[in-house]
Amino acid sequence: MARTLLQRYWDIPDGTECHRKAYASTSISGAVGLVASAYSIALKPPDSFLEGVARTGRYTFTAAAIGAIFGIASCVSAKVREKPDDPLNYFIGGCAGGLTLGARTHSYGVGAAACAYMGMTAALVKMGQLEGWKVFAEPRV
């Protein structure tokens, strides 16, 4: 499933069809938020059913919002700057997603740190994709 979601995101050229790119990034991050909420509930069981539902929604929707902002910001910056394959677009998207996390936690420090870290991570992922970096070695048979 994860491979299908990521493939759907990478199949859309940068700077085109921003609505599809935002939908794909929202789907990916929503799935990550759902997994994080499952771990949260498994490791610290809620006192009531409603508390579990609230915690699941909090993690899932926060992650989905960060993904949506990332997808929109990176795609719009690629369109405006007219440089679709530039890692700076991904840094801008990651930084916008980090600022969204800071707004959600009501913390300037979290927002600034998340902006820097998410922006750098996104830019490095884009650079790696452009240059053909391999994170995991392929098994030799």
Side-chain angles (χ1 to χ4, degrees):
M1 181 176 109
R3 180 169 293 221
T4 304
L5 289 175
L6 286 172
Q7 193 62 40
R8 185 170 51 175
Y9 180 80
W10 290 116
D11 284 346
I12 304 166
D14 290 335
T16 62
E17 301 185 51
C18 289
H19 61 286
R20 286 185 56 218
K21 199 86 162 170
Y23 179 75
S25 64
T26 303
S27 301
I28 293 167
S29 59
V32 169
L34 194 60
V35 169
S37 67
Y39 275 110
S40 171
I41 288 174
L43 296 175
K44 186 177 181 261
D47 294 332
S48 68
F49 175 75
L50 288 179
E51 181 185 345
V53 170
R55 197 182 317 163
T56 301
R58 184 170 50 244
Y59 284 112
T60 304
F61 293 129
T62 299
I66 290 170
I69 295 296
F70 170 80
I72 291 170
S74 61
C75 188
V76 167
S77 70
K79 267 190 173 182
V80 169
R81 297 179 61 240
E82 296 178 354
K83 295 181 180 178
D85 282 335
D86 190 11
L88 182 59
N89 299 327
Y90 278 68
F91 180 84
I92 291 169
C95 184
L99 292 174
T100 303
L101 181 62
R104 171 67 179 93
T105 59
H106 304 289
S107 171
Y108 292 117
V110 169
C115 171
Y117 292 129
M118 291 173 74
M120 287 302 295
T121 302
L124 285 171
V125 166
K126 183 61 178 177
M127 282 186 239
Q129 184 205 23
L130 291 174
E131 296 177 9
W133 297 350
K134 297 289 182 198
V135 177
F136 300 108
E138 305 248 343
R140 294 183 187 164
V141 179

